[in-house]
Amino acid sequence: MKEEHFLVSTSPHIRSAEDIPKIMYAVIIALIPVAIASIYFFRLWAIKLMAVCIITAMGTEDIFQRLRKKDITVFDGSAIITGLLLAFILPPSLPLWAASLGTFFAIALGKQIFGGLGYNIFNPALLGRAFLMATFPVLMTTWTKPFSLDVVTSATPLAQMKFAQSFVSHQSLFLGNVSGSLGETSALAILIGASFLLIRKIIDWRIPAGYLGTVVLLSSIFWFIDPKGFADPLWHLLAGGLILGAFFMAPDMVTTPVTKRGRWVFGIGCGLILIVIRSWSGLPEGVMYSILLMNAITPLINRFTHPRIFGEQK
Amino acid sequence: MRQYILFKDALKGLWKENPVFRQLLGMCPTLAVTNAAIFGLSMGLATFFVLLCSSIIISIFRRVFPHQVRIASFVVIIATFVTVVDLFLKGNFPEISKALGPYVPLIVVNCLILGRQEVFASKNPLHRAVADALGMGIGFTLALIALASIRELLGSGTIFGVQILTLVGEGGRFRPWIIMLLPAGAFLTLGTMIGISNFFTGRAAKKSACH
């Protein structure tokens, strides 16, 4: 009787030690430099906003999973990431109840209503911001200067370019000493976190490459044609939430195409929409809408970039 | 027994087969004009009137219509009453008529009305058709008022123009949710309401199945 020595199991036979919490906590680690930068620039506001968003995100997830009698996965890190990312793309002086409402919306209607992690069509954090933008437009466009503890209204660099034709220096944009959303101001901090994710291969380099590449290409073409009316490519890269969006929002595993070609299409599409919005629309910034719009057509991209099966005849 | 059937015909429109929450009929006015409770009420009553009157006429003459042209005949009858409502609103409530705009004439193509004629009024005697139209019309009106009240309350802090939540600018603490006055707010509110009603009816159905 040697039968028990033959172990029969179904595929997959090669297993990876990676699971959802591991990936999620790696992303959270990558977000730590951004969090430190935002606390450095916006002090108490940053701490409060991040705390409120994370707590609301986890609470909402817990309530919904209890109501729908699903496994409670509050500590797998995905809710923490949604809350943290949403805090990073909100204005620092936003009232905490509004941030809490937006986070509730992001988790409840952006994620849990579709069935939870893995089923959502749109990036929940961006959806939360879009909701807040349409709900409280005035609060969402009240920006503050870094290092100030009172609400000193000041336009973001992109708004200054759009409505006053004045440019902030590249250096301040790179370090983050400008007004803007909590976590988007410091390109340096975001790049430190993003390089960790790229080295660990948690995000696909194709999406940021397609996104940033398209923005650089298009903005340099327009800049060569009309250097006064358009900002230079480097400025476009550093201003606003582009780098944060390109590395932390756009390559979200759930809401992006699964094929390699599809990911290029996704990134390039985001870049195209971003440049169109930044250059010719009434809005100063377009990262949020560019990614949300491409999220919407992700199933379509998946269908059209379906790879050929080996040996298949055309 | 006969009264019981009439009762059932009327009651099903209120909840079990509610045109808005269960059948998802007449979505165009439901989503378009419900940013204030008064518009929801007027649109509901206008639809109610058209539904009731055309149900009566169609039920009376249900054996006269040739089968091939019945839809066209229904539409002519419905359009007559829509014109009546449109002129009535224009004459007596010009502001409401202006606010509802093209959505009053569009009642003609409201699938709730045509649907009830095709499914119910053209196949049932007068008293049952009236009971059905009453139930459906009231169900539709109540659903519209509920939807519009939520949107008005969150969007401008009022219900039927009465201030419920004091706004930030007037010494209160409530900040209006602009999104609720926009079309997106209609979709969000309706979707959430349908979701909640499904959640509870689904639960009730499961419970009754267990027993």
Side-chain angles (χ1 to χ4, degrees):
Chain A
M1 293 290 130
K2 284 185 175 176
E3 270 160 35
E4 62 255 35
H5 290 289
F6 295 102
L7 237 158
V8 181
S9 69
T10 53
S11 61
H13 301 291
I14 302 171
R15 284 162 199 276
S16 155
E18 261 184 355
D19 55 4
I20 291 174
K22 254 186 200 159
I23 294 174
M24 293 297 171
Y25 283 108
V27 177
I28 292 173
I29 291 170
L31 283 170
I32 286 176
V34 191
I36 293 171
S38 64
I39 293 172
Y40 176 71
F41 287 118
F42 297 103
R43 304 289 151 97
L44 206 56
W45 275 329
I47 298 172
K48 277 192 205 161
L49 208 55
M50 285 191 285
V52 163
C53 284
I54 291 173
I55 292 168
T56 318
M58 292 174 79
T60 314
E61 181 127 317
D62 184 73
I63 292 169
F64 263 75
Q65 286 177 336
R66 269 173 214 279
L67 275 178
R68 306 189 64 224
K69 299 197 173 70
K70 298 238 163 130
D71 299 336
I72 311 258
T73 56
V74 175
F75 291 99
D76 72 354
S78 66
I80 302 177
I81 291 180
T82 301
L84 203 55
L85 280 179
L86 182 60
F88 286 157
I89 50 179
L90 294 176
S93 61
L94 189 77
L96 296 178
W97 56 266
S100 180
L101 180 74
T103 317
F104 173 80
F105 183 90
I107 295 282
L109 293 181
K111 186 173 153 197
Q112 289 300 330
I113 218 113
F114 293 105
L117 182 68
Y119 297 98
N120 47 318
I121 307 171
F122 297 103
N123 187 314
L126 286 172
L127 211 59
R129 187 181 196 271
F131 171 77
L132 283 176
M133 195 75 192
T135 310
F136 308 113
V138 177
L139 291 180
M140 286 296 287
T141 46
T142 306
W143 307 99
T144 46
K145 281 204 174 98
F147 306 122
S148 66
L149 287 170
D150 306 308
V151 181
V152 185
T153 330
S154 103
T156 60
L158 277 164
Q160 282 176 28
M161 178 201 83
K162 188 141 206 163
F163 306 119
Q165 300 285 320
S166 69
F167 296 99
V168 178
S169 76
H170 290 104
Q171 199 196 345
S172 331
L173 283 177
F174 183 69
L175 293 174
N177 189 12
V178 290
S179 65
S181 296
L182 200 61
E184 72 179 20
T185 55
S186 171
L188 178 64
I190 301 166
L191 287 176
I192 294 171
S195 54
F196 172 72
L197 285 187
L198 285 172
I199 291 167
R200 291 278 309 268
K201 289 191 178 164
I202 287 172
I203 56 174
D204 193 346
W205 59 276
R206 291 175 185 85
I207 291 173
Y211 197 170
L212 300 176
T214 312
V215 170
V216 168
L217 185 72
L218 283 179
S219 57
S220 24
I221 293 173
F222 291 131
W223 187 53
F224 276 122
I225 296 172
D226 178 10
K228 285 209 172 121
F230 292 93
D232 63 85
L234 189 62
W235 200 90
H236 260 297
L237 271 187
L238 296 174
L242 177 58
I243 296 190
L244 185 68
F247 286 106
F248 287 99
M249 314 269 180
D252 174 20
M253 287 178 186
V254 178
T255 55
T256 48
V258 289
T259 58
K260 285 174 187 165
R261 265 193 306 158
R263 287 179 175 167
W264 280 113
V265 175
F266 185 92
I268 291 167
C270 284
L272 274 174
I273 297 171
L274 177 78
I275 287 293
V276 168
I277 293 179
R278 275 192 184 176
S279 310
W280 294 289
S281 84
L283 296 166
E285 176 64 307
V287 172
M288 168 176 77
Y289 291 118
S290 71
I291 298 174
L292 283 176
L293 283 170
M294 291 309 286
N295 280 167
I297 62 166
T298 290
L300 214 62
I301 300 174
N302 269 339
R303 181 183 297 177
F304 284 118
T305 55
H306 195 78
R308 265 177 66 214
I309 297 166
F310 185 68
E312 181 190 25
Q313 297 282 318
K314 242 201 172 164
Chain B
M1 191 62 212
R2 212 175 122 188
Q3 258 166 356
Y4 176 69
I5 288 179
L6 281 186
F7 232 66
K8 237 172 97 180
D9 284 341
L11 277 183
K12 70 175 189 294
L14 295 185
W15 181 253
K16 231 175 92 189
E17 291 179 24
N18 185 291
V20 174
F21 296 131
R22 310 258 83 183
Q23 303 190 51
L24 299 182
L25 287 179
M27 286 293 107
C28 169
T30 306
L31 294 169
V33 302
T34 51
N35 52 11
I38 186 74
F39 300 144
L41 176 69
S42 344
M43 178 47 85
L45 287 181
T47 314
F48 182 25
F49 172 78
V50 174
L51 178 62
L52 184 63
C53 295
S54 46
S55 279
I56 293 173
I57 301 283
I58 286 165
S59 176
I60 291 175
F61 296 107
R62 65 181 184 280
R63 299 210 172 81
V64 182
F65 301 120
H67 187 72
Q68 292 84 347
V69 294
R70 67 189 193 288
I71 300 283
S73 330
F74 296 165
V75 170
V76 171
I77 292 165
I78 295 166
T80 313
F81 291 110
V82 171
T83 314
V84 171
V85 167
D86 195 19
L87 294 178
F88 174 80
L89 281 178
K90 272 195 183 126
N92 294 297
F93 303 102
E95 304 90 34
I96 290 180
S97 164
K98 217 174 183 180
L100 295 184
Y103 295 102
V104 177
L106 276 176
I107 297 176
V108 174
V109 287
N110 189 327
C111 30
L112 163 66
I113 296 176
L114 200 61
R116 289 332 285 174
Q117 312 311 347
E118 169 75 4
V119 172
F120 207 91
S122 62
K123 289 173 187 159
N124 287 292
L126 181 60
H127 58 277
R128 287 195 68 186
V130 170
D132 177 73
L134 281 174
M136 288 291 161
I138 293 172
F140 186 71
T141 312
L142 288 181
L144 249 58
I145 293 174
L147 187 62
S149 301
I150 294 176
R151 284 182 68 191
E152 193 183 341
L153 181 66
L154 293 177
S156 34
T158 57
I159 291 182
F160 283 109
V162 181
Q163 203 78 40
I164 307 259
L165 302 166
T166 345
L167 304 185
V168 167
E170 294 153 14
R173 304 193 61 186
F174 180 70
R175 238 172 233 278
W177 300 17
I178 311 293
I179 196 171
M180 283 298 160
L181 302 176
L182 305 173
F187 283 100
L188 287 177
T189 319
L190 181 68
T192 312
M193 285 170 86
I194 293 175
I196 292 172
S197 81
N198 278 352
F199 182 74
F200 285 111
T201 39
R203 236 184 199 185
K206 256 185 213 160
K207 251 185 199 164
S208 62
C210 286
H211 287 293

